[in-house]
Amino acid sequence: MTKPTLAVVGATGAVGTVMLDILSGRPDVWGEIRLIASPRSAGKVLKVRGEEVVVQALAPEAFDGVDVAMFDVPDEVSAEWAPIAAARGAVAVDNSGAFRMDPDVPLVVPECNPEAARVRPRGIIANPNCTTLSMMAAMGALHREYGLRALVVASYQAVSGAGVSGPERLYDEIAAVAGDRTIGTVAGDVRKAVPDLADSPFPAPLALNVVPWAGSLKDGGWSSEELKVRNESRKILGIPDLKVSATCVRVPVVTTHSLAVHATFAKPVTVEGARAILSAAPTVVVLDDPAAGVFPTPADVVGTDPTYVGRIRQALDFPDTLELFVCGDNLRKGAALNTAEIAELVAAELTS
């Protein structure tokens, strides 16, 4: 049987670049891989699966003959072009926020709800936000056994989640404060030392600092990132009344989001039982020996694919509740890898 044709839309972007690397290392389920980007990037030559491929300009005819189109572009671009791709016969797998909460668009994490990918009235499948994705493989495995009832989450989000300007800004700030060991000892001195914040994607300095804000302002003082954690967790896990509260914090880490998770379950849960379930989950790695200094950190797991879990504890004052620390590369499992895995679900369906 002929292998399906895949299009990667936004192939020259930060996540698109990671996507090409991921496609080059995963099982080869695709025939042609077509690379698509904005007209200004058309004509560039990129390498995928060891082959050089010329980037095509985004246009309706670019989707002719495409079976699956993966989108890694801004929300407004996906909102316009994913329906066009679907109308041309492709299944659109979208990494933006344009369709995540559309009731006619499934929001899929293959470890949690792979069956949802088959029900796509609009011909579109959405990929969750990178913060939500960082914990979903672990939460999905525990939910299947114990029945998740509530989540309280504090995220520690890498600057690459803000796009290519995020790491550039962090490195510039680090350079500005490096070498002066008096900086960070007086209120406001970091703010004075770093470049003008008017040029920053962040509302406060990141060097020698953390910023309790990610996303845009929503009602009640919540950020868009915090509401995504709530709404997307409910949809992915199929728990419409799941109690969720999140506080999203930006930290001076280039890539890999971390989350401190307080999870309450309907059934009695033990640390030993949870550790066994997580250890058996194929895309989860348990690093949990604090006496030996073993637990996940962003610097130790960046560039890898699994969800890493450690610091597994029974909450002292809350029954049937676990505390966990979770890390996941926000450009890989948090974006490109999950999109590729969804696309592979569709490929398997098309060739079955």
Side-chain angles (χ1 to χ4, degrees):
M1 183 176 292
T2 303
K3 293 180 178 180
T5 295
L6 174 70
V8 180
V9 185
T12 58
V15 176
T17 301
V18 175
M19 179 70 73
L20 300 189
D21 177 62
I22 286 172
L23 288 171
S24 298
R26 290 188 66 77
D28 192 7
V29 302
W30 304 107
E32 177 190 357
I33 295 182
R34 196 174 299 178
L35 306 184
I36 301 173
S38 64
R40 68 176 179 277
S41 296
K44 288 184 177 180
V45 178
L46 302 177
K47 185 169 286 189
V48 59
R49 298 185 301 184
E51 304 171 4
E52 292 187 338
V53 179
V54 178
V55 176
Q56 300 182 30
L58 182 59
E61 57 270 18
F63 297 102
D64 290 346
V66 170
D67 297 294
V68 181
M70 299 191 299
F71 282 76
D72 180 56
V73 292
D75 289 12
E76 63 274 14
V77 179
S78 284
E80 177 182 358
W81 286 94
I84 293 173
R88 300 288 243 198
V91 176
V93 182
D94 180 44
N95 189 39
S96 82
F99 302 100
R100 288 173 185 153
M101 300 315 298
D102 186 321
D104 290 327
V105 175
L107 184 65
V108 174
V109 179
E111 295 94 330
C112 298
N113 60 341
E115 68 287 345
R118 290 180 172 266
V119 184
R120 42 180 192 268
R122 299 188 61 184
I124 300 170
I125 303 170
N127 192 59
N129 173 265
C130 54
T131 311
T132 309
L133 263 172
S134 295
M135 64 175 172
M136 271 301 106
M139 290 299 101
L142 294 173
H143 170 59
R144 283 191 293 274
E145 181 67 23
Y146 299 116
L148 188 62
R149 294 180 58 192
L151 281 173
V152 180
V153 179
S155 71
Y156 306 91
Q157 296 183 213
V159 296
S160 58
V164 294
S165 63
E168 292 175 358
R169 175 69 192 192
L170 178 59
Y171 284 127
D172 287 345
E173 290 189 5
I174 291 172
V177 303
D180 187 344
R181 297 194 178 192
T182 68
I183 295 178
T185 62
V186 177
D189 62 353
V190 173
R191 192 176 289 266
K192 292 176 182 177
V194 302
D196 189 348
L197 285 172
D199 300 322
S200 175
F202 310 113
L206 259 296
L208 308 179
N209 203 21
V210 298
V211 179
W213 189 258
S216 57
L217 181 63
K218 300 298 180 181
D219 291 346
W222 294 97
S223 79
S224 57
E225 289 282 308
E226 292 159 351
L227 296 181
K228 287 174 186 176
V229 172
R230 178 177 185 261
N231 297 333
E232 293 178 15
S233 295
R234 289 176 160 190
K235 185 173 180 179
I236 294 162
L237 297 172
I239 316 172
D241 59 349
L242 180 66
K243 297 178 180 179
V244 183
S245 185
T247 299
C248 291
V249 181
R250 195 74 71 178
V251 297
V253 169
V254 176
T255 296
T256 295
H257 290 350
S258 304
L259 298 95
V261 179
H262 173 99
T264 299
F265 298 92
K267 299 178 183 178
V269 59
T270 65
V271 169
E272 294 75 16
R275 189 179 287 120
I277 289 168
L278 293 170
S279 297
T283 62
V284 175
V285 174
V286 176
L287 300 175
D288 190 26
D289 186 0
V294 176
F295 32 69
T297 74
D300 294 322
V301 308
V302 62
T304 63
D305 291 339
T307 296
Y308 294 82
V309 183
R311 300 297 321 281
I312 305 171
R313 293 150 286 152
Q314 166 63 52
L316 295 177
D317 299 315
F318 301 87
D320 304 323
T321 299
L322 293 176
E323 311 289 350
L324 313 94
F325 191 75
V326 182
C327 288
D329 187 311
N330 55 292
L331 298 183
R332 294 184 73 86
K333 181 57 179 177
L337 176 61
N338 200 72
T339 307
E341 290 171 335
I342 296 170
E344 288 167 6
L345 289 177
V346 179
E349 176 189 339
L350 295 176
T351 56
S352 62

